[in-house]
């Protein structure tokens, strides 16, 4: 068991001694005998350990009676993706630092600490005010879906886009950078995660989440929490389960195939809808969409050449610097040569496009 798990026998003895992983049986010779369930628990303990959790924290996690093996796998996957994204963001930051130094530019101590410190992954949040804002036509759909709700919880609220101005809103946002950019007079904001909302059952008339579910370590758990604390749930998200979804957007089809890798293991639309017990409705993206999310510029391809536009979308950081540069350079060449216009000439006549965005309502 020690050899398979990549740990020492002493470690297994220690886990047994503190009650963290106790084998179900012993052989006649006194050796510890691990059942399939014991192995599963050991796997969870080691995974959390390698993510940096302390043993006491791990004990609380694996002993949680409300979390089964599948839930642990979803949580671990989310945590690992977050760790990967942080590493990718750090590589991007290092590349930029190297480019600056190659040009003889020395960054300030403050810039160096910001780049390599704890706020690294939150750096994309600083680009939000310039390109991410409420799109009125999408907002109308979301607000209409809220029905007669007077009290609304906005989960993963970010800087406050799409919060209805005529309702009593409470926001939840884990990122300090995002919370700091909420405008004066915005709804009160609680520092918490979607998977563990600090509210009693049915505390709100409605709970909403806009373009945030893909950032949650465990989307299904977060959606269930929304269902727990509110009688109505409205979620603006993305469907990656429809056959041929990779082909519907020219940017991922022709320039950034790595986007598909970001959604491996992503819950299906049916799973997301089931988590809140609701239905899914397609949301078309207007050609002049004011909110600069990933698909927003489908009829304005030159926008993707703008560094500021890309920095406000997490996809570009997550795919890595090499994929981003290749995609941007190829798109630039195709726009210059006319190949993009020829390949996508049917888009010019469209006022709105169906690119997989969905409104989940329960």
């Amino acid at each position: 068991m020690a050899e398979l798990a990549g740990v020492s026998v002493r470690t297994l003895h220690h886990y047994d001694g503190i009650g963290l992983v106790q084998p179900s049986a012993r052989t006649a010779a006194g050796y510890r005998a691990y059942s399939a369930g014991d192995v599963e628990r050991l796997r969870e303990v080691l995974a959390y350990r390698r993510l940096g959790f302390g043993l006491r924290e791990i004990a609380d996690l694996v002993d949680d009676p409300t979390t089964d093996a599948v839930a642990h796998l979803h949580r671990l996957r989310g945590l690992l993706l977050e760790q990967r994204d942080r590493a990718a963001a750090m590589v991007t930051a290092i590349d930029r630092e190297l480019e600056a130094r190659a040009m003889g530019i020395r960054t300030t101590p403050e810039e160096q600490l910001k780049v390599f410190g704890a706020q690294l992954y939150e750096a994309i949040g600083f680009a939000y005010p310039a390109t991410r804002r409420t799109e009125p036509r999408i907002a109308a759909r979301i607000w209409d879906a809220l029905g007669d709700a007077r009290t609304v919880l906005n989960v993963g609220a970010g800087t406050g886009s799409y919060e209805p101005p005529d309702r009593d809103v409470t926001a939840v946002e884990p990122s300090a950078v995002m919370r700091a950019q909420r405008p004066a007079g915005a709804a009160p904001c609680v520092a918490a995660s979607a998977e563990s909302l600090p509210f009693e059952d049915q505390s709100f008339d409605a709970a909403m989440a806009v373009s945030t579910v893909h950032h949650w370590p465990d989307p299904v758990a977060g959606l269930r929490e929304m269902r727990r604390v509110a009688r109505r749930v409205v979620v603006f998200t993305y469907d990656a389960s429809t056959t041929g979804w990779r082909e519907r957007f020219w940017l991922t089809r022709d320039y950034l195939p790595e986007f598909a890798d970001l959604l491996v293991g992503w819950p299906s639309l049916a799973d997301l809808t089931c988590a809140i017990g609701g239905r899914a409705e397609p949301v078309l993206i207007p050609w002049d969409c004011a909110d600069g999310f990933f698909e927003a510029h489908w009829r304005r391809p030159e926008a993707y050449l703008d560094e500021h536009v890309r920095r406000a979308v997490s996809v570009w950081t997550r795919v890595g610097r090499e994929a981003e540069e290749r995609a941007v350079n190829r798109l630039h060449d195709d726009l210059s040569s006319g190949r993009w216009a020829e390949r996508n000439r049917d888009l010019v006549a469209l006022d709105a496009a169906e690119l997989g965005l969905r409104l989940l309502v329960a």
Side-chain angles (χ1 to χ4, degrees):
M1 180 58 65
E3 183 178 350
L4 286 172
V7 299
S8 66
V9 172
R10 183 177 180 179
T11 295
L12 295 182
H13 289 183
H14 179 59
Y15 289 170
D16 183 7
I18 63 175
L20 189 57
V21 182
Q22 294 180 308
S24 299
R26 289 182 181 268
T27 67
Y31 290 107
R32 292 167 173 80
Y34 291 84
S35 68
D38 299 334
V39 172
E40 195 168 75
R41 183 180 174 94
L42 177 61
R43 185 270 310 279
E44 293 164 1
V45 167
L46 294 177
Y48 284 122
R49 188 70 174 136
R50 289 165 187 172
L51 280 164
F53 286 85
L55 294 181
R56 185 170 298 176
E57 293 175 297
I58 294 172
D60 291 339
L61 288 168
V62 298
D63 287 333
D64 182 359
T66 65
T67 307
D68 60 15
V70 173
H72 277 298
L73 287 173
H74 279 300
R75 178 187 288 163
L76 287 166
R77 182 180 183 279
L79 290 168
L80 287 165
L81 286 175
E82 182 179 351
Q83 188 178 76
R84 182 195 66 184
D85 295 344
R86 288 178 183 273
M90 181 167 281
V91 170
T92 299
I94 290 173
D95 287 343
R96 288 179 183 145
E97 172 85 3
L98 289 171
E99 290 172 3
R101 296 204 174 203
M103 294 185 290
I105 301 171
R106 185 65 180 253
T107 54
T108 67
E110 291 80 8
E111 289 172 329
Q112 292 171 19
L113 290 175
K114 182 182 293 185
V115 165
F116 298 107
Q119 292 183 331
L120 173 65
Y121 184 55
E122 294 182 324
I124 65 167
F126 288 108
Y128 267 58
T131 64
R132 302 299 297 272
R133 57 182 69 91
T134 299
E135 162 50 52
R137 287 156 288 191
I138 295 177
R141 291 282 305 275
I142 295 170
W143 297 346
D144 182 64
L146 291 173
D148 61 357
R150 299 308 308 164
T151 58
V152 177
L153 180 68
N154 186 15
V155 182
T159 59
S161 297
Y162 298 97
E163 290 180 357
D166 58 345
R167 327 247 182 160
D168 181 5
V169 177
T170 299
V172 167
E173 172 54 52
S175 168
V177 169
M178 293 295 192
R179 293 196 304 272
Q181 293 184 87
R182 293 177 64 81
C189 191
V190 177
S193 64
E195 296 86 351
S196 183
L197 296 174
F199 306 104
E200 299 294 332
D201 294 357
Q202 302 296 293
S203 295
F204 300 90
D205 294 334
M208 59 181 280
V210 179
S211 298
T212 179
V213 175
H214 56 285
H215 290 301
W216 300 355
D218 189 341
V220 170
L223 292 174
R224 287 174 179 165
E225 272 286 88
M226 292 178 68
R227 176 81 275 186
R228 178 184 66 79
V229 302
R231 61 177 177 83
R232 177 182 289 269
V233 177
V234 178
V235 178
F236 183 50
T237 188
Y238 182 79
D239 174 20
S241 57
T242 304
T243 301
W245 69 268
R246 292 177 175 84
E247 305 300 314
R248 65 190 169 203
F249 185 27
W250 56 263
L251 181 56
T252 56
R253 181 192 66 209
D254 300 331
Y255 303 98
L256 201 65
E258 291 84 357
F259 177 72
D261 297 333
L262 304 182
L263 296 173
V264 173
W266 172 253
S268 68
L269 184 65
D271 290 336
L272 297 175
T273 306
C274 182
I276 60 171
R279 66 183 187 278
E281 304 172 357
V283 178
L284 302 185
I285 307 173
W287 77 270
D288 55 348
C289 184
D291 190 352
F293 50 75
F294 183 60
E295 300 87 357
H297 306 286
W298 59 270
R299 215 181 85 176
R300 297 167 289 169
E302 64 282 351
Y304 294 106
L305 305 182
D306 187 334
E307 174 82 7
H308 293 93
V309 169
R310 298 197 306 276
R311 290 288 65 79
V313 179
S314 62
V315 167
W316 295 102
T317 296
R318 295 178 66 190
V319 298
R321 185 61 176 257
E322 182 177 346
E324 178 181 358
E325 288 185 345
R326 188 208 63 243
V328 170
N329 290 338
R330 188 175 298 171
L331 176 58
H332 178 273
D333 291 345
D334 285 355
L335 287 172
S336 299
S337 68
R339 281 192 296 269
W340 184 93
E342 174 62 24
R343 191 180 298 141
N344 300 284
R345 58 183 179 275
D346 295 340
L347 298 181
V348 178
L350 299 179
D351 290 328
E354 204 293 273
L355 296 178
L357 298 185
R358 297 291 182 267
L359 194 65
L360 312 185
V361 183

